[in-house]
Amino acid sequence: MTKERILVSAIETVPTYSDPLFRAHFRMTRTSFQSLLELIGPHTAVRSISLERRTLACLCYLSNQETFRSVADRFGLSKGSLHYYLGNFCRVMSGESVLPTLISWPEKSEYGRIAEGFAQRQGFPGVIGAVDGTYIPIPGPTEFRDSYICRKGFPAFHLQGVCDSNMRFLDVYSAYPGSVHDSRVFKNSPLNHYLQTECPQTYHLLGDSAYSLASHLLVPFRDNGHLTEEQKKFSFVHSSTRVDIERCFGLLKGKFRKLKFLDVTKVSVIPNIIVTCCGLHNFILGKESYMEEELIKVQEDDAPITN
């Protein structure tokens, strides 16, 4: 098939998609997509390729595990052009003009409302967020490769997320290679430094046993085989409340399956791509509901799914 025929196919076929098919390919409805164009349009340079086609190509790449070349051919672009447009799209989405409108730490006046949302499940009081880390498998750079090998044995980039009970990200932080432990990432994150001085004592995050106990971060009791019934109950209620962050990561990777294996070798652009997916996750949740089949089970021992 010639490039011209592929180009015609991309232009003519997408408008004929039914709403469910459009959502399946691009992870959002047409109405949400138009809102996305309105959001990023003022911050995007004018090019010969329309903003709509460039953005559809970027969403298609992030939403599945096809290669750059395959997605570029589908939209009548060269592989280099898709690299360029994806970089621009992610810079805009993760930039100071757009990202704060999608992901931002709540004001203290909102803490009570967020805590009520978490308390509805098991009654755990004062929770303003569930925190956890997840691995984003990557090919791994040739330089300092060992630094990117996570404890499961494959190269990865680290993503730390904090979400509310509606699985919306309140904070994301992607700055460390996979070899760095969750606890160290949190300790060095801007959010931790903020909470140490600004978090009221009645509120806290919930983290798993990988984290260290702090006044603003509660963790479960370590099961040494001698826990009391009260301690076991605390850990059960803690885990049942904290599960929202695991479901949040499951929905994120279910929608943007490129995060199952991010085939990008240029390390400097990886954080922007990861944060862009998190921003899109919040954008979609703000516009529409999710479907249960979009949730995938994210296990810490999942091996990367390569092309």
Side-chain angles (χ1 to χ4, degrees):
M1 182 179 289
T2 66
K3 186 172 182 179
E4 289 76 10
R5 289 178 61 190
I6 295 172
L7 176 57
V8 171
S9 175
I11 294 175
E12 293 184 352
T13 303
V14 173
T16 66
Y17 285 175
S18 64
D19 290 339
L21 186 59
F22 185 93
R23 193 173 190 266
H25 278 284
F26 306 109
R27 304 307 190 226
M28 63 183 72
T29 64
R30 279 191 170 87
T31 302
S32 298
F33 178 69
Q34 291 302 320
S35 297
L36 178 64
L37 295 182
E38 293 172 5
L39 176 66
I40 66 175
H43 312 287
T44 306
V46 177
R47 301 291 178 187
S48 57
I49 304 298
S50 69
L51 177 61
E52 179 179 6
R53 181 146 64 101
R54 284 147 44 190
T55 306
L56 285 174
C58 292
L59 290 176
C60 183
Y61 172 77
L62 295 174
S63 299
N64 60 70
Q65 294 185 285
E66 291 186 47
T67 63
F68 267 106
R69 186 174 302 281
S70 174
V71 175
D73 285 347
R74 182 179 302 178
F75 289 88
L77 304 172
S78 67
K79 181 180 175 182
S81 294
L82 181 57
H83 272 281
Y84 177 77
Y85 292 136
L86 179 68
N88 283 350
F89 176 71
C90 292
R91 277 192 293 272
V92 170
M93 286 294 299
S94 59
E96 295 181 357
S97 299
V98 174
L99 188 63
T101 67
L102 302 175
I103 303 175
S104 61
W105 188 252
E107 299 291 336
K108 292 180 182 178
S109 59
E110 300 178 82
Y111 284 5
R113 174 185 58 81
I114 296 173
E116 288 178 7
F118 279 108
Q120 288 179 2
R121 179 173 287 118
Q122 291 287 347
F124 205 116
V127 181
I128 55 172
V131 61
D132 201 0
T134 188
Y135 295 131
I136 309 299
I138 60 174
T142 54
E143 190 175 11
F144 306 114
R145 182 180 177 83
D146 289 347
S147 299
Y148 291 85
I149 304 299
C150 69
R151 62 191 180 88
K152 296 301 178 181
F154 55 85
F157 218 86
H158 191 280
L159 168 63
Q160 174 183 282
V162 180
C163 76
D164 62 15
S165 59
N166 296 316
M167 295 190 293
R168 285 178 58 89
F169 284 113
L170 303 177
D171 182 82
V172 294
Y173 185 55
S174 184
Y176 283 88
S179 64
V180 183
H181 193 270
D182 286 3
S183 182
R184 183 182 173 191
V185 172
F186 179 75
K187 181 179 179 181
N188 293 328
S189 68
L191 179 63
N192 180 49
H193 298 309
Y194 171 81
L195 294 176
Q196 285 179 338
T197 57
E198 300 294 335
C199 185
Q201 292 186 352
T202 53
Y203 295 107
H204 38 260
L205 302 179
L206 297 185
D208 61 19
S209 56
Y211 295 95
S212 301
L213 179 66
S215 60
H216 56 281
L217 175 59
L218 300 185
V219 299
F221 287 97
R222 295 187 182 277
D223 190 356
N224 54 11
H226 302 285
L227 296 182
T228 65
E229 289 302 318
E230 289 79 6
Q231 290 171 333
K232 290 180 180 178
K233 182 177 181 181
F234 175 89
S235 294
F236 172 77
V237 173
H238 179 287
S239 176
S240 300
T241 306
R242 194 191 65 84
V243 73
D244 284 324
I245 185 59
E246 297 175 4
R247 298 180 73 238
C248 184
F249 283 146
L251 183 58
L252 173 70
K253 293 184 178 182
K255 279 186 173 292
F256 302 106
R257 294 177 180 266
K258 184 59 66 176
L259 297 183
K260 288 183 170 185
F261 181 75
L262 187 53
D263 56 338
V264 175
T265 55
K266 191 174 181 180
V267 172
S268 60
V269 305
I270 290 177
N272 277 356
I273 297 176
I274 296 173
V275 171
T276 292
C277 291
C278 295
L280 288 170
H281 167 95
N282 274 13
F283 174 82
I284 294 170
L285 284 184
K287 298 290 183 181
E288 55 197 77
S289 60
Y290 70 93
M291 296 183 289
E292 285 294 329
E293 55 265 29
E294 294 173 327
L295 269 167
I296 63 170
K297 184 174 178 57
V298 177
Q299 300 177 340
E300 287 192 30
D301 59 350
D302 279 349
I305 302 176
T306 58
N307 290 319

